[in-house]
Amino acid sequence: MPKNILFTSLKESFSLIWKNKFLLFLLMVSQVLFFIIFFTISYHYQTKIIENANTIFDYLSQLKLDEAAITSNILQQKSILGEDPLMISRNFNEIVKNFRIYLIYAFILLVVFTSINWTITIWMVFEKNFSLKRKNFFINIFLKNIIILSFYLGLIFLFFFSLFNISLTEFVSMFSQILTKYVPFFIISLILSYFMFVSLSLLHKIDLKNLVQKTLIIGIKKAHYILAVYFVNIFLFSVSIFLLYYFIEKNLFVLLLSMILMIISFIFGRIFLVMVVEKLG
């Protein structure tokens, strides 16, 4: 039975993509637009963060921290961190500020574009069932996507905010504890992501008040189906990434095909999951 559902959904997903070229094009444009904006913002803020980090490292590398120099500075009542020790904290605060701003932009982009992409995906999968004249239905799906994504992604992003909601002194003293806390957070984030995509696949037919119960039923009792879908999606994405990396400097045509395959793997992944969850529901 699991094989029947998975293979049938797999076949239907490929067929659906082939038959709905217009919606496929819309999804590809949306996905490309997201990547362009996301990488532009990432480059802008990561450049700032790297500049501040390099300033700190360059300053520290010029310090004389041998025993004789430290003893001399202590006897002369000078700071062992040089003439401008506050420069380190200033640049650290800039790193924290830019990281927080970057997270806000990343959160907004993910919520908005993921909501758009999942709404179009639902449109593609259930085009025959829902008239395009029912604009309120699609607006409702989009708004529910916003709510669900804001909840799940909000929990994940809050950790990153709390991670850097400390001063330089606290960061240095708690560095080992932060690394220790990162592992359970990573596991919790994976669990939240697992259930998030199941919830998004159910929104077209389940009210928000019943969504948690239905998500847990399918996500836990039918976990072998969902995990199989994730495995297929991760495999297809990995293949596209491998081709992209392998041909990045060898063949421009194959490189472009690999980029298109990567984008389509995201689109296919959503459709495949919706198809399977629909049959399980």
Side-chain angles (χ1 to χ4, degrees), residues 97-266:
K97 184 187 76 173
N98 287 320
F99 184 75
R100 288 174 179 171
I101 296 173
Y102 171 68
L103 282 181
I104 292 172
Y105 279 120
F107 175 78
I108 294 172
L109 278 175
L110 281 171
V111 169
V112 172
F113 276 93
T114 306
S115 296
I116 292 172
N117 291 335
W118 274 91
T119 301
I120 298 175
T121 300
I122 295 298
W123 176 8
M124 179 185 286
V125 175
F126 302 105
E127 184 179 11
K128 294 181 180 179
N129 302 70
F130 304 108
S131 171
L132 295 181
K133 295 180 181 179
R134 295 180 58 185
K135 295 181 180 179
N136 290 337
F137 171 79
F138 294 102
I139 293 174
N140 183 46
I141 292 294
F142 175 75
L143 293 177
K144 288 202 291 187
N145 283 332
I146 291 284
I147 294 172
I148 292 302
L149 287 164
S150 296
F151 171 73
Y152 281 106
L153 293 178
L155 292 176
I156 296 173
F157 274 73
L158 276 176
F159 172 80
F160 284 106
F161 267 94
S162 63
L163 186 65
F164 280 86
N165 191 28
I166 54 177
S167 64
L168 176 60
T169 305
E170 292 172 327
F171 179 79
V172 173
S173 62
M174 296 175 60
F175 184 71
S176 60
Q177 296 180 20
I178 291 174
L179 293 178
T180 303
K181 291 179 180 178
Y182 182 80
V183 175
F185 160 74
F186 180 74
I187 295 173
I188 293 172
S189 297
L190 286 177
I191 295 172
L192 286 172
S193 299
Y194 171 87
F195 286 107
M196 178 179 73
F197 292 119
V198 175
S199 295
L200 290 171
S201 302
L202 289 167
L203 277 179
H204 64 283
K205 62 178 182 179
I206 302 294
D207 294 331
L208 287 175
K209 61 182 180 180
N210 300 320
L211 187 63
V212 174
Q213 180 183 4
K214 194 66 176 179
T215 298
L216 291 175
I217 290 174
I218 293 180
I220 296 174
K221 291 186 176 181
K222 308 293 183 179
H224 50 296
Y225 291 97
I226 305 301
L227 290 174
V229 173
Y230 287 164
F231 175 80
V232 172
N233 291 341
I234 291 172
F235 173 77
L236 292 175
F237 177 73
S238 299
V239 170
S240 66
I241 291 297
F242 171 77
L243 293 174
L244 191 65
Y245 175 78
Y246 184 77
F247 289 101
I248 194 167
E249 294 181 353
K250 295 183 179 181
N251 189 307
L252 180 60
F253 177 71
V254 179
L255 177 64
L256 291 174
L257 288 180
S258 301
M259 294 176 67
I260 294 173
L261 178 62
M262 183 188 70
I263 294 170
I264 292 179
S265 70
F266 283 103

Side-chain angles (χ1 to χ4, degrees), residues 59-60 62-85 88:
Y59 180 81
L60 291 175
Q62 295 174 6
L63 294 177
K64 295 181 180 180
L65 298 176
D66 57 280
E67 186 176 348
I70 292 175
T71 303
S72 176
N73 286 330
I74 292 175
L75 292 175
Q76 297 179 43
Q77 296 184 342
K78 293 182 180 179
S79 172
I80 62 173
L81 294 178
E83 297 179 356
D84 188 14
I88 300 175

